[in-house]
Amino acid sequence: MCTFAQQTQYVDFKKADVNVSVDIEKKSVSGLVTYYFDVLNAVDSVFVDAKNMSFSDVSLDGNEVEYSYDSEKLWIKKKFQPSKNKELSISFESSPTKALYFVEKGEESQVWTQGQGKYTSNWLPSFDDMNEKIEFDLSIAYDKDYEVVANGKLVNIEEHETTKTWHYNMDMPMSSYLVVLVVGKFNKQTLSSESGIPIELYYCPEDSLKVEPTYRYTKQMFDFLEKEIGYKYPWQVYKQVPVHDFLYAGMENTSCTIFSDAFVVDEAGFNDRNYVNVNAHELAHQWFGDLVTAKSGEHHWLQEGFATYYALLAEQDVFGENYYFWRLYEYAQELQMQDKMGQGTSLLNPQSSSLTFYKRGCWVLHALREKVGDVIFKQAVKSYLEKHAFGNVETADFISEVEVLCGKSLSEFVNLWIKNKAFPFEEAQRLLLKSPFIQEYEMVDCEAANSKCSYYLDSYVSDEAKIKIIQQKPELINSKTFNNSVKVRKAIAQVLATIPKHLKTDYESLLQDASYVTIETALYNLWSNFPEERQVYLNQTEAMSLKNEATRILWLVLVLSTPDFNQDEKPEYYEELVNFTSKDFNYEVRMSAFEYLLMLNACNEVCELNLEAAKNHHNWRMSKFAKEQMELLKTNKN
Ligand SMILES: [Zn+2]
């Protein structure tokens, strides 16, 4: 029975007025949602997805109406004749266990949503079918000390005694999985795109100095993408909000991306892990995913492949062409490896890996552009967006635009790049070798006979080529090799676990680099290689360690393992290390602190309690880790 699978053929839901309040104590959401809809074809029932909710009132066109509920869908069973502007109002209360998360960050609370893959209908009666696009206008009441963010433009804020009600407005429709709600203590900076779209950058008040490195290149990439795509940014405003312990890197909710606060970085942290790629990726989704949405999982690459490709173009605008080809090179290597392991799939298989959807999808677009040329490619993308704006798409919708413009069939291309199970690695390799940078990288190979590796290492080859040499032949590293970029020096730090005496001074200079990863690696290796100088290294890095949690954890562990260093302060250092296991910190930071403490057999009562509590963490990586470690701890005790 799938009579109701395509409700969109009978009913068109057009607009939603959502009025909710969020109760952090009860971890619940309650309120009223009113849907405005047209009946297109006679039908004997209408449903709204709503998981495990309770309802106090349901009315149709202003009159209370009978409904049935099976804990998944709310049904109105009556004969609907074709008609316009009908109104369905639902008073509900939900206590979501997913899709909306209540998170503690120290003394403060955050609430944030994740619709894709989790279903917005876990907290708000809405539609799981991506083909149902609705203009959602959200109004949210919450504690007046907090900031509330949702899709669209902020219209006004109503002030009450202890709460504020935030009214947001959308003027175009979207799929329910793109509805967003964030509550937290935030400030924001506002930029403006060249086309006049306000770009709002949210941050926690204590992170004001990290705003620039975190959001670096935002405006440049926004302006670039608008021009490159050739279709005006489709929404009234663009917001980005970093949230605590997010499930993924980022999520492209319509007009409001949320991303992991692990990407909030300072100047040195920027060199280790930054938000630039995720920033560009989620922004590209505002067109590819939000404006045009895949009809089904089979066409998922139209979202992820396009977002990955356009993110790479935006990064090329910032970092140059070599960067662009380097990433394509890496993607091709990963895809070839996947095939070798027998895990390759057609791009149209809904069960494909993320690697396939994202990176093979990206490759399809690069190869297609190479084949048909810039002019046709760009025109096809523009027409595709214009034709299907605020609607749903499948692969043929895009391919046919290109075929019309180039006047011939692309079925051979589609078979090779999209339909076939195998990624066309040979063809990708041929396209890559158009780049002199890739040619050079391939040429530099220390394993080849007559290799000129030591010559290349001192010449002007790219950083990537130098890193390749260092990894293949660490013994070639000499004093001069240290006169290189932060990136190459990071590779030196990692490769030289055993530090030759004659490079000791050069290696020590790595402790000054603008990269926490380099500093941590160098500190650990120096501490291990030269025990007599442990105190010197710890003193040198103390100030730097205070700026980064991962660095601080390593520093504390080394201090606790260095008998003569600051003996009186050891109890405080230990307490500080244990504190990194608490819920105040990101799950990645906590996992690292737990690992060290368990390794040192030093997980005390506080640490154990934190580990026990982490078993119920909303992020599966954290909960899985906690469960495994707790088991190990028990086994070791017995
Ligand atoms: Zn994506």
Side-chain angles (χ1 to χ4, degrees):
M1 274 275 291
C2 46
T3 331
F4 303 106
Q6 291 134 345
Q7 176 162 271
T8 48
Q9 291 177 358
Y10 299 93
V11 191
D12 181 14
F13 284 84
K14 300 167 89 161
K15 189 175 181 304
D17 282 330
V18 179
N19 284 280
V20 291
S21 59
V22 177
D23 188 329
I24 192 109
E25 299 297 326
K26 284 168 63 191
K27 295 193 187 325
S28 69
V29 179
S30 61
L32 173 72
V33 53
T34 300
Y35 281 106
Y36 301 89
F37 66 100
D38 293 347
V39 180
L40 308 172
N41 291 300
V43 67
D44 53 13
S45 65
V46 161
F47 72 80
V48 181
D49 292 295
K51 298 188 174 64
N52 306 311
M53 293 187 190
S54 57
F55 308 101
S56 52
D57 183 53
V58 178
S59 62
L60 184 66
D61 298 328
N63 303 310
E64 211 173 303
V65 66
E66 263 189 56
Y67 63 91
S68 63
Y69 183 55
D70 58 8
S71 82
E72 292 273 324
K73 285 176 159 64
L74 180 131
W75 297 90
I76 312 292
K77 288 183 178 154
K78 71 184 276 302
K79 298 228 176 297
F80 287 90
Q81 295 302 326
S83 49
K84 286 198 176 286
N85 301 321
K86 300 190 73 67
E87 221 180 289
L88 174 63
S89 295
I90 305 169
S91 290
F92 71 97
E93 180 166 342
S94 60
S95 303
T97 53
K98 57 181 176 178
L100 184 142
Y101 300 87
F102 298 91
V103 175
E104 287 168 71
K105 187 189 173 196
E107 299 298 297
E108 291 165 17
S109 311
Q110 280 191 358
V111 179
W112 46 258
T113 57
Q114 169 59 32
Q116 192 172 35
K118 304 288 176 193
Y119 297 121
T120 298
S121 60
N122 277 288
W123 66 273
L124 173 70
S126 53
F127 298 90
D128 295 351
D129 183 353
M130 303 189 291
N131 297 283
E132 183 59 270
K133 292 203 170 188
I134 295 164
E135 184 195 322
F136 280 97
D137 293 337
L138 270 68
S139 294
I140 307 104
Y142 199 78
D143 181 334
K144 67 177 169 56
D145 294 334
Y146 282 79
E147 195 86 7
V148 175
V149 193
N151 308 86
K153 205 171 144 180
L154 179 63
V155 182
N156 71 316
I157 305 171
E158 259 175 77
E159 307 233 5
H160 312 283
E161 204 171 316
T162 56
T163 62
K164 282 181 186 169
T165 303
W166 301 65
H167 296 282
Y168 281 94
N169 168 264
M170 284 288 290
D171 54 17
M172 294 312 248
M174 62 176 172
S175 309
S176 298
Y177 79 88
L178 295 165
V179 171
V180 68
L181 172 59
V182 186
V183 175
K185 296 245 163 124
F186 297 110
N187 288 345
K188 69 178 177 196
Q189 277 185 18
T190 305
L191 315 170
S192 175
S193 75
E194 234 164 73
S195 58
I197 300 289
I199 304 173
E200 300 179 348
L201 315 176
Y202 285 79
Y203 61 93
C204 294
E206 65 271 23
D207 293 330
S208 61
L209 295 175
K210 296 180 177 172
V211 175
E212 190 285 318
T214 300
Y215 287 110
R216 194 170 288 169
Y217 310 124
T218 295
K219 181 179 150 39
Q220 181 181 343
M221 295 195 298
F222 192 104
D223 293 337
F224 170 81
L225 282 181
E226 261 203 319
K227 268 191 214 122
E228 172 64 34
I229 295 168
Y231 186 104
K232 197 180 176 320
Y233 174 79
W235 319 102
Q236 302 124 293
V237 60
Y238 187 52
K239 292 171 269 202
Q240 297 176 83
V241 193
V243 300
H244 192 57
D245 275 339
F246 193 47
L247 301 171
Y248 314 106
M251 176 63 207
E252 69 273 19
N253 309 291
T254 311
S255 78
C256 178
T257 285
I258 62 184
F259 65 99
S260 162
D261 65 0
F263 287 110
V264 175
V265 293
D266 63 12
E267 200 66 43
F270 182 90
N271 291 327
D272 295 321
R273 170 166 68 175
N274 59 58
Y275 176 55
V276 178
N277 181 267
V278 177
N279 187 338
H281 179 102
E282 309 308 339
L283 176 57
H285 270 311
Q286 298 298 321
W287 286 267
F288 307 102
D290 298 4
L291 174 64
V292 296
T293 309
K295 276 187 183 154
S296 63
E298 201 182 336
H299 307 288
H300 192 50
W301 81 278
L302 293 176
Q303 305 189 174
E304 297 307 340
F306 274 72
T308 306
Y309 176 68
Y310 279 93
L312 199 46
L313 290 182
E315 286 186 292
Q316 174 176 234
D317 189 58
V318 173
F319 302 120
E321 193 183 78
N322 291 353
Y323 178 93
Y324 174 84
F325 278 99
W326 175 244
R327 283 278 175 254
L328 281 180
Y329 177 87
E330 287 184 323
Y331 295 175
Q333 296 292 323
E334 290 171 46
L335 287 159
Q336 188 198 25
M337 188 57 76
Q338 180 177 253
D339 280 350
K340 280 186 177 164
M341 286 159 57
Q343 291 163 357
T345 52
S346 156
L347 191 51
L348 300 180
N349 181 341
Q351 311 300 327
S352 291
S353 64
S354 296
L355 174 60
T356 299
F357 284 132
Y358 287 61
K359 295 174 180 175
R360 181 165 174 178
C362 170
W363 255 106
V364 166
L365 298 172
H366 174 73
L368 183 60
R369 190 175 186 147
E370 285 290 308
K371 185 178 174 68
V372 303
D374 283 351
V375 176
I376 287 181
F377 182 86
K378 287 175 82 164
Q379 184 54 48
V381 169
K382 189 163 180 265
S383 315
Y384 161 75
L385 290 175
E386 281 167 352
K387 202 172 280 183
H388 302 283
F390 308 104
N392 294 81
V393 285
E394 51 192 34
T395 304
D397 293 326
F398 172 62
I399 296 297
S400 65
E401 289 303 324
V402 190
E403 283 178 330
V404 165
L405 288 163
C406 65
K408 56 181 177 210
S409 162
L410 286 170
S411 61
E412 210 177 302
F413 177 90
V414 170
N415 282 333
L416 181 68
W417 282 95
I418 299 178
K419 286 193 181 159
N420 279 0
K421 248 175 102 171
F423 172 71
F425 183 75
E426 305 283 310
E427 182 58 10
Q429 192 70 5
R430 189 185 67 78
L431 294 172
L432 282 169
L433 287 172
K434 290 187 177 183
S435 152
F437 162 82
I438 296 294
Q439 287 170 23
E440 177 193 271
Y441 185 79
E442 290 281 277
M443 175 191 73
V444 169
D445 185 358
C446 311
E447 275 139 27
N450 306 321
S451 147
K452 288 189 260 174
C453 266
S454 76
Y455 164 76
Y456 292 138
L457 190 56
D458 292 333
S459 69
Y460 291 101
V461 298
S462 69
D463 283 354
E464 284 71 20
K466 282 182 180 166
I467 292 170
K468 185 177 175 185
I469 297 168
I470 288 168
Q471 287 168 345
Q472 287 181 333
K473 291 234 170 204
E475 63 273 24
L476 293 180
I477 297 170
N478 58 59
S479 250
K480 269 197 278 176
T481 322
F482 285 83
N483 298 330
N484 266 301
S485 68
V486 171
K487 209 156 61 174
V488 176
R489 285 168 60 89
K490 189 183 289 182
I492 298 176
Q494 288 165 338
V495 152
L496 287 186
T498 305
I499 306 164
K501 280 255 157 53
H502 69 279
L503 292 178
K504 180 167 172 276
T505 315
D506 292 308
Y507 197 94
E508 283 167 352
S509 73
L510 295 169
L511 294 176
Q512 316 293 327
D513 273 22
S515 153
Y516 295 109
V517 172
T518 306
I519 294 170
E520 284 164 40
T521 315
L523 172 61
Y524 179 78
N525 286 337
L526 286 163
W527 185 89
S528 307
N529 278 262
F530 307 106
E532 65 288 0
E533 298 201 45
R534 285 179 178 176
Q535 308 210 15
V536 178
Y537 298 138
L538 289 170
N539 279 324
Q540 261 180 35
T541 47
E542 180 168 14
M544 202 63 181
S545 79
L546 288 165
K547 295 183 182 175
N548 182 279
E549 288 154 353
T551 314
R552 184 66 178 174
I553 289 172
L554 175 73
W555 189 87
L556 291 168
V557 167
L558 294 181
V559 163
L560 293 170
S561 314
T562 307
D564 306 324
F565 188 81
N566 294 5
Q567 205 53 33
D568 299 347
E569 289 159 58
K570 289 272 166 71
E572 281 152 57
Y573 289 139
Y574 175 65
E575 204 182 314
E576 189 187 345
L577 180 60
V578 170
N579 189 45
F580 276 114
T581 64
S582 78
K583 61 181 164 33
D584 295 3
F585 298 92
N586 254 312
Y587 71 89
E588 286 165 310
V589 170
R590 299 177 67 187
M591 274 159 54
S592 155
F594 279 127
E595 264 171 358
Y596 279 121
L597 283 163
L598 291 163
M599 193 176 76
L600 296 171
N601 257 328
C603 187
N604 65 5
E605 204 179 330
V606 177
C607 165
E608 269 189 43
L609 283 172
N610 285 337
L611 190 60
E612 183 63 37
K615 281 159 70 177
N616 298 316
H617 197 270
H618 63 268
N619 190 302
W620 68 269
R621 287 180 199 83
M622 182 77 251
S623 55
K624 181 169 175 272
F625 172 91
K627 282 175 198 158
E628 286 168 1
Q629 297 300 327
M630 210 63 207
E631 274 309 304
L632 276 179
L633 205 60
K634 272 188 213 146
T635 336
N636 292 346
K637 274 189 185 163
N638 293 336

